[in-house]
Amino acid sequence: MMNAIFKGVFVHRYRDAIAEIRAITIEEIGMWMKLYSDAFLNDSYLKYVGWTMHDKQGEVRLKCLTALQGLYYNRELNTRLELFTSRFKDRIVSMTLDKEYDVAVQAIKLLTLVLHSTDEVLSPEDCESVYHLVYSAHRPVAIAAGEFLFKKLFSTREPEEEGAPKRRGRQSPNANLIKTTVFFFLESELHEHAAYLVDSLWESGADLLKDWECMTSLLLDDPVPGEEALTDRQETALIEIMLCTVRQAAECHPPVGRGTGKRVMTAKEKKTQLDDRTRMTELFAVALPPLLAKYSIDSEKVTNLLQLPQFFDLDIYTTGRLEKHLEALLRQIREIVEKHTDTEVLEACSKTYHALCNEEFTIFNRVDIARSQLLDELVDKFNRLLEDFLQEGEEPDDDDAYQVLSTLKRITAFHNAHDLSQWDLFSSNFKLLNTGIENGDMPEQIVVHALQCTHYVVLWYLAKVSEGSHRKEDMVSLRKQMRMFCLMCQRYLTNVNTTVKEQAFTILCDVLLVFSHQMVSGGREQLEPLVYSPDDSLQTELLSFILHHVFIDQDDDNGSTDGQQDDEAAKIEALHKRRNLLAAYCKLIIYNVVEMNTGADIFKQYMRYYNDYGDIIKETMSKTRQIDKIQCAKTLILSLQQLFHEMMSELGTGFDRSSSAFCGIKELARRFSLTFGLDQVKTRDAIAMLHKDGIEFAFKEPSPQGEGNPPLHLAFLDILSEFSSKLMRQDKRTVHMYLERFMTFQMALQRDDCWLPLISYRNSLQAGGDDDTMSVVSGYSSRGSSVRSKKTKAATPTAAVAAAKRKLPEAEESSSSSTDVLWQHQSMQTPVMMPSPHLTSTMMRGPGDMRGEAKRGRDDSYIGVYALPSDSQQQPHPHTLPQTPQLHQTPIDYNTQVTWMLAQRQQEEVRQQQERAMNYAKLRTNLQQAIRRGTGLMEEDEEPIVEDVMMSSEGRMEDLNEGMDFDTMDIDLPPSKNRRERSELKPDYFDPGSIMDESVLGVSMF
């Protein structure tokens, strides 16, 4: 029975077209192999699972892996899987890199089971392909790889003798495993990802990673005889891993970039977190001072060790009687501050003081006194050195400059996390900066740190004033200091040193953003006197800095070093710095600190520097569009105009439109057009304003060769046509009429290559607007036909005339259709200066109707953004047109001649259309009579058929004509049958398929 099911169902369904069916079959065959291993667990059935691991659908591949996991988990079945493992092992290893993360996780777990069953199957290359996944950004994959790594490298422990005392510290069983972890971390050559390695091993080896006593013993104790000591590089890696384990235990969440957010911890996890914090504080409160003393000279080690107190439970210092260890820690930090000048070390010391100076704990007073003593000494030393350094008549030497710089670095690092307002550092730093401006020989690092320190002074002063308890004198003093500092930064933007200029620019952008109009929001109206807006000169200097220091080629940057690898790293660092500078300026645009039109110089670089800054520029365009759509559109068109000017200055007025420069501008316009999205209603005003500015720019400068030549910027219309697809149909008509304001009749008749941009732009405006134009023509035709129908009915109300009246709308419809085709052909082939008046059936309508329709045409058809010309300019009255030319007549002006030519041409077109319509009506009438004869309906049985109920009322007909919208199309409805015809019709005649019977098919069409 099972074999019958397998051969009759499984063999056919495991390749089913539906992925769900394939997944079910693989899942069931896995259950059969597990439950009935004697019958199904052999290579004849396993091969189907192996083949299906190549399925295109992830859910099917996932079922294959889960089915195999159930087999490998049973040790008794491993011997029957040896051939399958050797055959499909490579495929399983490759699935660890599957694009579906769930499949990759299960593939790693399957390899872990294979490794658990036999250690000889997987080669070192297979294992290494899994090892590097511990650094994956996807946490489930990394945890699965960490479990595989832990079983492979850390599962072999030294057995402990029974009855022997438990070994601790350097002699513990975990010592070798910790060393192995360090070796693996160094060999992976990903030294900045220790936090990822710890997080990957946390679930499988938390006990090993939290053996901090063993780690400190390996760092502090001397090695036993015969044991190899750790190298300096290994000690640095061990300290970094130890810091990551402490952070993981204290925060209980994955590192940045791997977790999706903080999750709610269970009661058991909270208890474990508290126990770990208590244990680590008790251990490192004692061990940290000797560690700092041993490695006080090594900057990298000290920087990592100084971060440990940030995760302490500071109550342990008091409850555990550890005050003497706190004093030792404060002494070590003070010595490190005095020894080092590296910014990272000094900032780590500042953060440690900030973590220990917590008013909630009893150790606050002790730490605050130590911090105040240190800062008093630093500020007094700085003021003393600065006075000697700035003495007139004496040229400072390098030793004095170094002393000033080292002290200023320490003060700046502490001012980042601590309020030093009581020491009045603004006057001393401002004096130093002013001297640097006057003399011009100040060392760049002194200027950089003086600018940063002054920046901190202003921000801390603002934080103090914003708390609410401020005086008017404080507001005035802060406002004065802020404006003086901004002026100083502006002066340093022209410094010869690039580092100084970059620092001044970054700080100036931050200050302008903080003191912008945004600071009064959120109920802080009392800070309104502090609002500062940059003047035009400052905005110009900021923009000039961006253009000269950000939008440069990599080769122009002088930050490269020797060696190919070092040179590449330096280029990446320089690019990162330039991206920060651009982002700082773009924030000023987004928050309306500088004028939005200054972004035109940024937006025009979108294509050229797309790889470096494309994401920043695109996000800036998106944010500015959210703020003001119209102003953003004007900024985009301004950027294209600037590029057009630059191209003309480089290539001259007679440039080739197929050149790379012009094509590049067109491609940029296309990219800009794509950023507006698909919702034309939301961007309607912005797109219309964009076209308006573009048209004005194209016709702004006349041709230098004089009249008869295209305007100087006419080729810009070719670029502007990239935005025509974003216009709504009715707006295309409005923009086209606005374009014709700038055109002369000679321009409309030109066909030379130099006029092609105008022709292509007009065609782009008329392409989507033809439907609206045709509906107007159709509306005029239908109204004319209605009037003629009523007059005919009043004159001769006979059956024959009624039948002719029934045929007339059909003829009118064909006339309208023919008019549509000719109008499209005319618009593409023969562009004219102004919209031609439609002269269909002019004599049939009275003057009142013409005036009413002209009024409706102005009110309904041409609603747009721009003011339109008067009717006298656009649509001359049809009654004023001469009907026949005279041989001897008085001279008429040029516009009248043009109007007469257009009227004659349209009258001829209407006459031809009416002839074709009458021919079509006759043909259709003959065809209908033939169909009726075939179906048994004689002509004398017919009754006059009324086209519509509304046609019977003269007044209601007039209302219908008055209320017709020009944007609606006339639909030719089939004539309704009278009662007698309905009663004689068979029911199946209402079926569309029954109409084309043999009698109809037998009628000759022509």
Side-chain angles (χ1 to χ4, degrees):
M1 182 64 182
M2 298 292 287
N3 283 331
I5 294 176
F6 178 81
K7 293 180 180 180
V9 178
F10 177 85
V11 173
H12 303 287
R13 292 307 101 206
Y14 90 99
R15 295 182 300 177
D16 196 277
I18 301 176
E20 185 178 359
I21 296 178
R22 299 198 301 271
I24 293 174
T25 55
I26 294 300
E27 183 180 12
E28 289 301 321
I29 196 64
M31 293 298 298
W32 293 0
M33 293 178 183
K34 185 177 179 181
L35 298 177
Y36 310 105
S37 58
D38 295 336
F40 292 99
L41 188 56
N42 54 62
D43 298 327
S44 299
Y45 297 96
L46 283 170
K47 64 182 180 182
Y48 294 104
V49 182
W51 294 340
T52 315
M53 284 193 297
H54 296 271
D55 196 279
K56 294 182 180 180
Q57 296 296 324
E59 58 177 325
V60 181
R61 300 194 300 271
L62 184 63
K63 291 298 182 181
C64 294
L65 295 174
T66 53
L68 293 174
Q69 287 177 13
L71 301 178
Y72 280 99
Y73 186 79
N74 191 345
R75 291 284 188 91
E76 299 176 355
L77 305 179
N78 288 339
T79 56
R80 305 184 187 182
L81 297 170
E82 292 179 356
L83 182 61
F84 174 83
T85 304
S86 61
R87 172 65 179 82
F88 293 100
K89 178 195 66 174
D90 295 338
R91 173 55 185 164
I92 299 175
V93 172
S94 66
M95 293 176 73
T96 58
L97 300 176
D98 198 279
K99 64 179 181 179
E100 301 288 343
Y101 287 121
D102 295 339
V103 177
V105 170
Q106 298 304 323
I108 298 173
K109 290 183 177 180
L110 179 59
L111 289 177
T112 305
L113 293 176
V114 173
L115 182 67
H116 189 67
S117 60
T118 173
D119 196 15
E120 301 177 354
V121 176
L122 298 178
S123 63
E125 292 77 11
D126 297 334
C127 296
E128 289 177 2
S129 63
V130 183
Y131 289 162
H132 74 278
L133 294 177
V134 296
Y135 298 104
S136 173
H138 192 261
R139 193 162 188 262
V141 173
I143 291 176
E147 184 180 356
F148 179 88
L149 176 65
F150 188 81
K151 285 189 177 294
K152 180 66 177 177
L153 300 181
F154 308 135
S155 58
T156 57
R157 293 171 176 259
E158 297 181 2
E160 298 186 10
E161 299 179 0
E162 296 182 1
K166 186 177 181 180
R167 293 177 296 173
R168 304 176 64 87
R170 198 179 190 97
Q171 303 299 323
S172 66
N174 289 334
N176 291 330
L177 300 180
I178 292 175
K179 291 181 180 179
T180 304
T181 307
V182 173
F183 299 155
F184 174 81
F185 175 61
L186 293 176
E187 290 176 0
S188 62
E189 297 181 355
L190 294 172
H191 307 295
E192 298 180 359
H193 296 79
Y196 277 23
L197 175 62
V198 170
D199 183 57
S200 301
L201 296 172
W202 194 254
E203 292 190 4
S204 55
D207 294 336
L208 171 65
L209 297 176
K210 288 192 289 188
D211 193 352
W212 299 303
E213 184 179 358
C214 180
M215 296 180 185
T216 56
S217 178
L218 289 172
L219 293 171
L220 293 175
D221 298 344
D222 296 331
V224 297
E227 182 185 3
E228 186 178 357
L230 295 176
T231 63
D232 180 72
R233 186 163 174 259
Q234 292 170 353
E235 288 178 344
T236 302
L238 177 57
I239 291 175
E240 186 175 357
I241 291 175
M242 182 175 65
L243 172 63
C244 294
T245 57
V246 169
R247 182 187 292 111
Q248 186 86 6
E251 297 180 350
C252 291
H253 64 79
V256 177
R258 178 172 280 185
T260 57
K262 292 185 178 180
R263 63 182 181 85
V264 179
M265 294 189 298
T266 62
K268 182 179 179 181
E269 291 174 340
K270 291 181 180 180
K271 184 178 183 303
T272 303
Q273 181 186 21
L274 294 176
D275 294 342
D276 290 340
R277 290 192 65 185
T278 302
R279 190 165 64 86
M280 78 173 65
T281 305
E282 293 174 349
L283 176 64
F284 286 106
V286 179
L288 185 57
L291 287 171
L292 292 174
K294 182 178 179 180
Y295 302 107
S296 60
I297 302 177
D298 195 319
S299 300
E300 187 175 0
K301 295 185 180 68
V302 167
T303 303
N304 289 327
L305 289 173
L306 285 173
Q307 298 181 42
L308 293 175
Q310 301 177 23
F311 308 103
F312 285 180
D313 184 4
L314 299 180
D315 280 332
I316 303 298
Y317 276 110
T318 305
T319 58
R321 306 290 183 179
L322 302 176
E323 287 85 355
K324 62 178 182 179
H325 298 287
L326 177 61
E327 294 291 344
L329 176 62
L330 296 176
R331 285 195 302 270
Q332 291 298 327
I333 295 176
R334 182 187 179 93
E335 292 178 3
I336 291 172
V337 171
E338 294 174 353
K339 290 180 181 178
H340 289 271
T341 58
D342 293 341
T343 303
E344 293 182 358
V345 177
L346 296 175
E347 289 182 354
C349 294
S350 176
K351 292 179 181 179
T352 302
Y353 271 114
H354 183 268
L356 296 175
C357 288
N358 194 332
E359 298 180 359
E360 298 179 359
F361 301 100
T362 55
I363 64 173
F364 169 74
N365 293 330
R366 194 186 301 262
V367 180
D368 184 49
I369 292 173
R371 180 187 62 174
S372 300
Q373 292 176 352
L374 176 62
L375 292 175
D376 282 337
E377 295 179 4
L378 290 176
V379 174
D380 292 341
K381 182 180 178 180
F382 175 69
N383 291 330
R384 185 175 64 255
L385 292 172
L386 186 62
E387 185 178 355
D388 298 337
F389 184 72
L390 299 179
Q391 283 184 356
E392 298 182 0
E394 296 184 6
E395 185 175 351
D397 55 7
D398 294 339
D399 185 55
D400 294 339
Y402 176 78
Q403 292 293 332
V404 173
L405 176 60
S406 60
T407 307
L408 184 58
K409 277 186 175 181
R410 297 183 179 101
I411 293 176
T412 303
F414 273 86
H415 210 346
N416 187 13
H418 304 272
D419 186 8
L420 309 183
S421 302
Q422 55 180 332
W423 282 278
D424 189 20
L425 293 170
F426 182 84
S427 57
S428 57
N429 281 281
F430 190 82
K431 184 179 179 181
L432 179 63
L433 293 172
N434 193 30
T435 304
I437 288 290
E438 294 175 355
N439 299 336
D441 57 351
M442 189 70 65
E444 67 171 55
Q445 288 299 319
I446 293 180
V447 176
V448 167
H449 286 85
L451 289 171
Q452 190 66 56
C453 186
T454 311
H455 183 211
Y456 291 149
V457 171
V458 174
L459 293 183
W460 277 108
Y461 205 168
L462 176 62
K464 180 181 178 181
V465 171
S466 301
E467 292 177 355
S469 58
H470 61 275
R471 298 174 300 173
K472 184 177 180 180
E473 294 78 7
D474 295 335
M475 296 279 289
V476 175
S477 176
L478 175 58
R479 187 172 183 269
K480 181 180 178 181
Q481 290 184 5
M482 180 265 298
R483 293 180 178 270
M484 292 172 60
F485 181 57
C486 289
L487 182 60
M488 183 64 66
C489 291
Q490 183 178 357
R491 296 172 68 184
Y492 269 104
L493 285 177
T494 58
N495 194 275
V496 295
N497 192 282
T498 303
T499 306
V500 173
K501 288 190 288 187
E502 291 176 352
Q503 181 76 351
F505 177 83
T506 304
I507 292 176
L508 189 56
C509 289
D510 291 342
V511 172
L512 291 176
L513 189 61
V514 171
F515 287 91
S516 64
H517 60 279
Q518 308 282 342
M519 70 183 306
V520 300
S521 60
R524 293 176 294 183
E525 289 78 7
Q526 71 276 5
L527 301 178
E528 187 174 359
L530 300 177
V531 175
Y532 177 66
S533 299
D535 54 9
D536 295 339
S537 62
L538 180 55
Q539 294 187 32
T540 303
E541 290 189 32
L542 292 174
L543 180 59
S544 177
F545 177 87
I546 286 293
L547 296 179
H548 290 88
H549 293 82
V550 174
F551 296 108
I552 58 176
D553 296 331
Q554 286 280 5
D555 298 336
D556 298 338
D557 197 4
N558 55 4
S560 60
T561 58
D562 296 335
Q564 183 176 2
Q565 185 175 0
D566 295 339
D567 182 59
E568 190 68 24
K571 287 184 177 180
I572 294 175
E573 183 65 25
L575 176 60
H576 181 68
K577 185 184 298 183
R578 293 197 299 270
R579 284 175 58 86
N580 288 337
L581 295 175
L582 179 60
Y585 184 77
C586 288
K587 284 192 291 185
L588 299 181
I589 300 176
I590 292 173
Y591 288 97
N592 290 327
V593 179
V594 298
E595 297 294 336
M596 189 180 295
N597 56 11
T598 59
D601 294 275
I602 307 296
F603 296 160
K604 70 182 182 182
Q605 310 289 347
Y606 181 64
M607 287 293 296
R608 183 177 179 184
Y609 296 94
Y610 181 80
N611 294 331
D612 295 340
Y613 319 116
D615 55 339
I616 299 176
I617 299 176
K618 186 175 181 179
E619 185 66 19
T620 305
M621 285 191 290
S622 175
K623 294 295 184 181
T624 52
R625 187 174 292 114
Q626 294 176 12
I627 297 172
D628 191 340
K629 295 184 179 65
I630 295 180
Q631 187 61 34
C632 177
K634 293 172 75 68
T635 305
L636 293 178
I637 200 66
L638 178 60
S639 65
L640 296 174
Q641 294 171 6
Q642 291 178 357
L643 287 176
F644 191 82
H645 274 300
E646 295 174 3
M647 181 194 65
M648 291 191 63
S649 62
E650 181 180 354
L651 302 179
T653 56
F655 62 89
D656 186 7
R657 290 197 304 276
S658 62
S659 61
S660 59
F662 187 80
C663 294
I665 302 176
K666 282 201 67 175
E667 177 63 19
L668 179 61
R670 189 185 70 84
R671 294 288 186 94
F672 285 168
S673 176
L674 293 176
T675 61
F676 283 94
L678 300 176
D679 194 346
Q680 294 180 335
V681 177
K682 289 183 178 180
T683 60
R684 180 182 184 183
D685 296 339
I687 292 294
M689 185 59 66
L690 186 146
H691 280 272
K692 176 179 180 295
D693 291 354
I695 293 172
E696 293 174 353
F697 174 78
F699 291 93
K700 183 178 181 181
E701 296 290 338
S703 175
Q705 286 82 14
E707 297 183 1
N709 294 286
L712 191 62
H713 301 156
L714 186 68
F716 190 78
L717 294 179
D718 200 3
I719 300 171
L720 192 62
S721 62
E722 297 291 338
F723 298 93
S724 298
S725 61
K726 298 298 180 180
L727 282 169
M728 300 182 70
R729 291 186 301 172
Q730 55 268 40
D731 292 340
K732 284 186 178 182
R733 190 167 60 244
T734 305
V735 172
H736 184 268
M737 295 182 64
Y738 188 78
L739 172 67
E740 291 179 343
R741 281 185 171 188
F742 298 86
M743 295 172 54
T744 62
F745 182 71
Q746 290 85 354
M747 292 182 182
L749 299 179
Q750 294 292 338
R751 289 296 179 271
D752 297 335
D753 291 343
C754 58
W755 296 94
L756 287 180
L758 177 61
I759 298 173
S760 62
Y761 181 58
R762 294 190 68 205
N763 290 339
S764 68
L765 295 178
Q766 294 173 349
D770 290 342
D771 294 340
D772 296 332
T773 308
M774 295 312 106
S775 64
V776 176
V777 178
S778 180
Y780 279 121
S781 301
S782 62
R783 295 180 187 187
S785 65
S786 300
V787 173
R788 287 192 296 269
S789 300
K790 288 185 292 183
K791 291 184 177 180
T792 305
K793 181 177 179 181
T796 56
T798 61
V801 175
K805 190 181 70 172
R806 184 179 66 247
K807 302 169 187 176
L808 188 57
E810 301 171 354
E812 289 296 329
E813 178 190 1
S814 63
S815 174
S816 176
S817 302
S818 304
T819 306
D820 294 351
V821 176
L822 291 175
W823 179 260
Q824 294 175 0
H825 180 75
Q826 173 186 342
S827 62
M828 290 187 293
Q829 300 296 331
T830 311
V832 294
M833 179 182 66
M834 62 186 68
S836 327
H838 302 291
L839 303 179
T840 56
S841 303
T842 305
M843 301 304 295
M844 290 291 188
R845 287 174 285 184
D849 294 339
M850 293 298 297
R851 288 192 298 270
E853 289 180 2
K855 184 177 184 299
R856 286 193 300 275
R858 292 193 301 271
D859 295 341
D860 300 335
S861 301
Y862 301 113
I863 298 175
V865 179
Y866 321 110
L868 300 180
S870 61
D871 293 342
S872 60
Q873 296 176 353
Q874 295 293 334
Q875 295 186 3
H877 199 282
H879 291 294
T880 63
L881 300 178
Q883 298 297 326
T884 57
Q886 302 293 333
L887 297 177
H888 303 283
Q889 59 182 358
T890 58
I892 57 178
D893 59 354
Y894 178 74
N895 291 333
T896 306
Q897 292 180 5
V898 172
T899 306
W900 178 81
M901 291 170 59
L902 295 176
Q904 290 297 318
R905 183 174 60 185
Q906 287 202 358
Q907 287 180 359
E908 180 65 21
E909 291 175 356
V910 170
R911 185 184 62 78
Q912 295 176 0
Q913 293 165 9
Q914 290 178 352
E915 291 180 356
R916 286 193 294 268
M918 293 301 296
N919 294 333
Y920 175 78
K922 293 178 180 179
L923 177 63
R924 184 166 180 171
T925 302
N926 296 333
L927 180 61
Q928 290 177 350
Q929 292 176 356
I931 293 175
R932 292 192 184 94
R933 285 194 298 270
T935 55
L937 293 176
M938 302 304 294
E939 186 174 358
E940 57 268 21
D941 294 334
E942 293 180 321
E943 292 181 358
I945 300 176
V946 182
E947 291 180 10
D948 199 340
V949 178
M950 301 294 291
M951 291 296 200
S952 60
S953 174
E954 195 75 17
R956 297 178 69 180
M957 181 60 196
E958 291 293 336
D959 295 340
L960 179 62
N961 287 336
E962 291 293 332
M964 287 183 65
D965 191 356
F966 286 158
D967 291 337
T968 60
M969 299 294 294
D970 289 339
I971 302 175
D972 182 24
L973 296 175
S976 58
K977 300 293 182 179
N978 55 27
R979 293 188 183 91
R980 187 175 64 175
E981 289 174 339
R982 288 198 210 98
S983 62
E984 294 178 356
L985 284 176
K986 299 179 181 179
D988 58 353
Y989 276 108
F990 291 99
D991 184 8
S994 64
I995 297 178
M996 302 300 293
D997 55 3
E998 295 180 357
S999 60
V1000 177
L1001 293 176
V1003 177
S1004 177
M1005 297 294 293
F1006 300 100

